[in-house]
Amino acid sequence: ALENAEKIQTIIVDKTGTLTEGKPEVTDIVPIEPISTQDLLQIAASLEQGSEHPLARAVLDSAQKMQLPLQSIEDFLAITGSGIAARMNGVQYLLGSPKFLTQQSIIVDEKQITTLQTEGKTVIGIASTSGNNSKILGYLAIADRLRDTSLKAIERLQSMGIEVVMLTGDNAVTAAAIAKRTGITQY
């Protein structure tokens, strides 16, 4: 393996936990009036309780820092890779990716979402639904900081003539933002 290492032309790295610290944090809470920042985060955290997903953990940690109590939920349904649905205090809620919410007939603010994504953040939306009356309540932006050593490591590999390719399950806009910040052209 070491003898063959000098022949490496391309290295493929995962974004989360390799280039980044692997500890996502809520960076922005964007309520759509008339809901408060605290209420939006409390709803999101209540919906996420029990989840081990790294983004859910970031939401729960943020609510804990703000000392927001979690509400009990009913009829929890996870849609793998997209979002969740649950009832809380008699209200049906959806939480998930903008694409997931759009698929559920929720109108989202594409401009607001794209602005956050171009900053390298992952956006989740929170909506309430009641019969034919569905509305977006707001958005949470979550980011995972680049490791201090990532830029230097990528520069060094590239100076050796090795192409670095980044893989991520994140959306294309966020992936492009992280790639640009690291100098990676293939992602």
Side-chain angles (χ1 to χ4, degrees):
L2 291 175
E3 290 173 3
N4 288 326
E6 74 173 348
K7 299 174 188 170
I8 292 175
Q9 296 174 343
T10 304
I11 185 168
I12 301 171
V13 295
D14 184 37
K15 178 185 69 86
T16 305
T18 302
L19 296 177
T20 64
E21 293 179 356
K23 298 175 187 167
E25 296 177 341
V26 173
T27 58
D28 301 83
I29 303 170
V30 185
I32 307 297
E33 292 188 56
I35 194 169
S36 72
T37 300
Q38 289 83 3
D39 287 346
L40 181 65
L41 182 60
Q42 183 181 40
I43 291 167
S46 296
L47 295 171
E48 293 279 26
Q49 64 187 311
S51 176
E52 293 300 319
H53 191 281
L55 298 183
R57 187 79 258 145
V59 172
L60 289 163
D61 288 348
S62 185
Q64 185 178 20
K65 286 177 189 171
M66 293 179 73
Q67 300 179 347
L68 300 174
L70 301 181
Q71 304 294 313
S72 60
I73 59 172
E74 303 170 333
D75 304 325
F76 178 86
L77 175 64
I79 297 89
T80 305
S82 296
I84 58 176
R87 184 174 310 283
M88 184 171 54
N89 298 326
V91 178
Q92 182 69 27
Y93 291 98
L94 298 170
L95 178 146
S97 69
K99 180 180 177 183
F100 167 70
L101 294 178
T102 301
Q103 291 169 342
Q104 305 301 315
S105 302
I106 306 294
I107 298 170
V108 298
D109 184 344
E110 295 291 344
K111 184 178 179 185
Q112 177 74 52
I113 293 165
T114 301
T115 298
L116 293 166
Q117 289 174 339
T118 56
E119 295 172 0
K121 299 172 182 178
T122 300
V123 179
I124 58 173
I126 302 95
S128 65
T129 63
S130 176
N132 292 335
N133 185 15
S134 299
K135 64 179 179 178
I136 190 76
L137 300 176
Y139 307 98
L140 300 180
I142 301 170
D144 190 2
R145 281 190 291 228
L146 286 175
R147 290 182 185 271
D148 294 337
T149 55
S150 291
L151 294 176
K152 289 179 186 173
I154 291 166
E155 286 174 4
R156 186 158 184 210
L157 288 166
Q158 289 171 335
S159 72
M160 296 166 60
I162 298 172
E163 180 181 22
V164 181
V165 177
M166 179 184 74
L167 295 181
T168 180
D170 231 329
N171 67 75
V173 177
T174 301
I178 298 296
K180 183 177 181 180
R181 286 176 38 202
T182 58
I184 293 174
T185 57
Q186 296 291 318
Y187 56 93

